[in-house]
Amino acid sequence: MTITGIVLAGGKGSRMGGVDKGLQPLRGKPMVEWVLARFTPQVSEIIINANQNVPLYAKYEHRVVSDQIGGFAGPLAGLHAGLNAARHPLVVTVPCDSPFLPADLVSRLNKHLGENHLAVAKTGDQAHPVFALMKRDVRESLEAFLASGGRKIDAWYAALKVVEVSFDDEADAFRNINTLDELKGA
């Protein structure tokens, strides 16, 4: 599949004490390495969105892009930077703090995308908006949303045709690690 994968690692890690979550060790390796190991086989190229420690992320030999919107504006700013750098018509995002993401994430989302703008993973009643496959041409809509001051991913999705894809059989795969205690327990 010619799909660009974007690893969202541009946050401040405030719930983890201000550390770069993707670089925090889990079972002897930085979390981003676990994510890359599961994600890379599913896509044609990887882009890592990072706003700090860029040289450390660059060592993984994927393009690293920083937000073009200042002030750590959230996952939509990372998505925006990734969409601008993507080489393929389809783009899929995952966060750097979900090391157990499904090995079939992209194929399952792609199976349901159809005429929709986005396919978003869902477990139970909970959508996981940063696990999403989308058409790159949503970039214009996102730019307009960000320019108007929008930052909430759900508010932007509400203006698009979105299909939610059930991953109830892999609910634990979407567990993200936000705190040091969660990291110790993983």
Side-chain angles (χ1 to χ4, degrees):
M1 287 183 272
T2 53
I3 297 175
T4 297
I6 301 171
V7 177
L8 299 170
K12 292 190 285 188
S14 53
R15 288 181 281 180
M16 199 175 273
V19 298
D20 192 329
K21 289 194 292 185
L23 298 175
Q24 295 310 297
L26 170 69
R27 301 179 192 162
K29 295 190 305 192
M31 274 197 287
V32 73
E33 286 186 26
W34 294 97
V35 171
L36 289 170
R38 289 176 126 349
F39 197 39
T40 302
Q42 299 184 57
V43 295
S44 304
E45 74 167 332
I46 295 274
I47 295 170
I48 299 173
N49 165 247
N51 293 310
Q52 51 189 344
N53 299 307
V54 171
L56 294 175
Y57 282 108
K59 79 174 190 164
Y60 295 108
E61 299 182 359
H62 299 289
R63 283 187 297 152
V64 179
V65 298
S66 297
D67 293 355
Q68 296 161 346
I69 297 166
F72 291 92
L76 287 180
L79 172 58
H80 175 258
L83 284 169
N84 284 331
R87 293 184 177 129
H88 301 298
L90 294 178
V91 174
V92 62
T93 60
V94 297
C96 69
D97 61 358
S98 293
F100 313 112
L101 66 99
D104 62 349
L105 175 73
V106 177
S107 63
R108 287 174 68 175
L109 291 174
N110 195 31
K111 186 169 130 182
H112 295 279
L113 182 62
E115 296 301 314
N116 296 292
H117 296 112
L118 289 113
V120 178
K122 176 182 167 184
T123 54
D125 293 335
Q126 176 70 44
H128 302 284
V130 291
F131 292 91
L133 174 70
M134 66 204 70
K135 296 175 179 169
R136 194 178 67 201
D137 60 14
V138 300
R139 181 176 56 199
E140 291 176 14
S141 165
L142 179 57
E143 285 177 357
F145 181 78
L146 290 168
S148 73
R151 296 294 183 264
K152 299 283 185 189
I153 201 165
D154 295 337
W156 177 58
Y157 281 3
L160 302 169
K161 287 176 57 179
V162 178
V163 61
E164 293 180 337
V165 180
S166 174
F167 281 84
D168 288 346
D169 59 314
E170 296 186 74
D172 287 342
F174 296 92
R175 181 170 44 129
N176 64 339
I177 299 172
N178 286 313
T179 67
L180 291 173
D181 286 339
E182 289 173 353
L183 183 61
K184 289 176 192 168

